[in-house]
Amino acid sequence: MAGLRLWCAILSLAMWPLAAPAQQASFSALARILPGSVLTVQGAGAELVLTLSQPVPFRVRLVDAPPRLVIDFQEVDFAALPAADPGAVLGRAGAVQAIRYGPADAGWSRLVLELSGPQGIDAAAMTTDAVSGQAVVRIGFSPVDATAFATKAVPESALFADLPAGGQAAGLPPRVPGKPLIVVLDPGHGGIDPGAERDGQREADLMLTFARELRDALRRTEGFDVVLTRDEDVFVSLEGRIRLARAAGADVFLSLHADALPDGGATGATVYTLAEEASDAAAAALAERHDRADLLAGVDLTDQDDLIASVLMSIARTETTPRTDALANHLVAAIRENAGRMHRRPRQMAGFSVLKAPDIPSILLELGFMSSPRDLAALQEVEWRGRMVQSVVSALQRWADDEAASVGLRRR
Ligand SMILES: [Zn+2]
């Protein structure tokens, strides 16, 4: 859990606004390495502190044979360090045999620490000074045994393959005006995970029915292509759902649920967007249950060691979040107009894993609660579902108009 907390800490520390044009301009300038960058001995390990003229996405990885610590930045001018021996300026530590730097893939710069033996990363974080705009990267490492090192190290071949193309930190492909919006619909649960169950009805089945009806309605509407994460009663992992969405080139991801809450009082539709902090206890419980179902199905979601890829994610999120919020607001408005029945708090936030694609506006729509007899009956009525389908279609249409209007304004 310590790793996860650190991961979250980095996410929040690394957030910086990209919305204002002035900041975009400074972001595109090359970061420089500044005085205050130093390598210090920490027991049998070491800590590397790099002061940069501005924050940039970065990524730390271990590579074996020989053991190396590889740090990729997007993008840093290392000219302040002597190319032949950066250690002459940064300092020396027994854990580090030599330091090298150079360009990596397009738009990326690489700093390599050749290690004198297997070392594990204890901490890696970037903090940004709100006043100066400078960033400090701290990476601490200490000796581990060869087996532990081997489990953390990536093959050399992965070093280049994994870097996103330079200049596309946000990971957003340029949207072509006039091209249909690709909507990925995600009927919750399925297969060994039935979701909520009440009166012989399974959430997994009700959501598949609704998703198919919504798909058909969107296909009849101009400007939309639709992909379902599952079109039968099968289990798809939360990660697999996001992977499918990305493979489909999703412009928007909509996960469909109708869960049951133990207290039984909840009723009406709820529109969820992603947040680290759930907006209330029920939201937190729902998020936790969905993730647990995935874990029970034997899917390992714990591979969060790659701390630094999260910096890239936070940048993408900065851009995606306002668009997601806009869609959520359209959904609440359209459901109120057409279907009428919303939860008393219709807009909520929670840490649903299925919403965590940083570059795809993602929403989890609880159509109602199966624990509410009224909602459960509505979910089984063709007429009610038709009004709900129409609500989602109009919300997506309004959002598509927003997107078309802003497509020229957004940073690429
Ligand atoms: Zn559900």
Side-chain angles (χ1 to χ4, degrees), residues 1-15 123-128 276 307-308 310-311 314:
M1 283 318 283
L4 189 62
R5 262 200 307 279
L6 175 62
W7 188 76
C8 294
I10 289 175
L11 262 182
S12 46
L13 287 171
M15 282 286 210
M126 176 186 278
T127 52
T128 305
E276 280 178 39
L307 302 176
I308 305 312
S310 62
V311 178
S314 77

Side-chain angles (χ1 to χ4, degrees), residues 189 203 257 259 290:
H189 311 279
E203 183 186 358
H257 289 261
D259 288 275
H290 281 138

Side-chain angles (χ1 to χ4, degrees), residues 6 39-40 42 45-49 60 62 69 71 113 119-125 137-143 307:
L6 175 62
L39 178 71
T40 51
Q42 302 278 333
E47 185 187 47
L48 177 68
V49 176
V60 183
L62 293 163
L69 184 82
I71 315 159
L113 274 59
Q119 302 265 334
I121 298 170
D122 300 321
V137 176
R138 281 176 196 278
I139 300 165
F141 45 97
S142 57
L307 302 176

Side-chain angles (χ1 to χ4, degrees), residues 66-197:
R68 280 156 288 167
L69 184 82
V70 176
I71 315 159
D72 289 313
F73 296 90
Q74 191 187 5
E75 177 178 15
V76 171
D77 176 1
F78 289 114
L81 303 176
D85 181 16
V89 166
L90 290 175
R92 318 266 178 208
V96 178
Q97 276 184 341
I99 304 176
R100 295 181 277 119
Y101 65 79
D105 238 354
W108 288 80
S109 317
R110 176 165 293 170
L111 188 69
V112 179
L113 274 59
E114 289 173 13
L115 305 172
S116 42
Q119 302 265 334
I121 298 170
D122 300 321
M126 176 186 278
T127 52
T128 305
D129 185 309
V131 179
S132 69
Q134 294 176 4
V136 176
V137 176
R138 281 176 196 278
I139 300 165
F141 45 97
S142 57
V144 292
D145 63 39
T147 315
F149 184 82
T151 61
K152 299 288 181 191
V154 299
E156 184 137 12
S157 59
L159 280 180
F160 283 98
D162 283 1
L163 290 183
Q168 287 201 337
L172 297 168
R175 246 190 75 60
V176 183
K179 172 184 154 286
L181 212 63
I182 300 171
V183 181
V184 171
L185 298 178
D186 174 46
H189 311 279
I192 58 163
D193 168 22
E197 292 175 286

Side-chain angles (χ1 to χ4, degrees), residues 187-189 193-196 203-204 207 255-260 286 289-290 352 364-366 370:
H189 311 279
D193 168 22
E203 183 186 358
M207 293 308 101
S255 193
L256 302 165
H257 289 261
D259 288 275
L286 276 182
R289 234 200 34 231
H290 281 138
F352 291 109
L364 188 143
L365 174 59
E366 291 275 356
M370 288 181 68

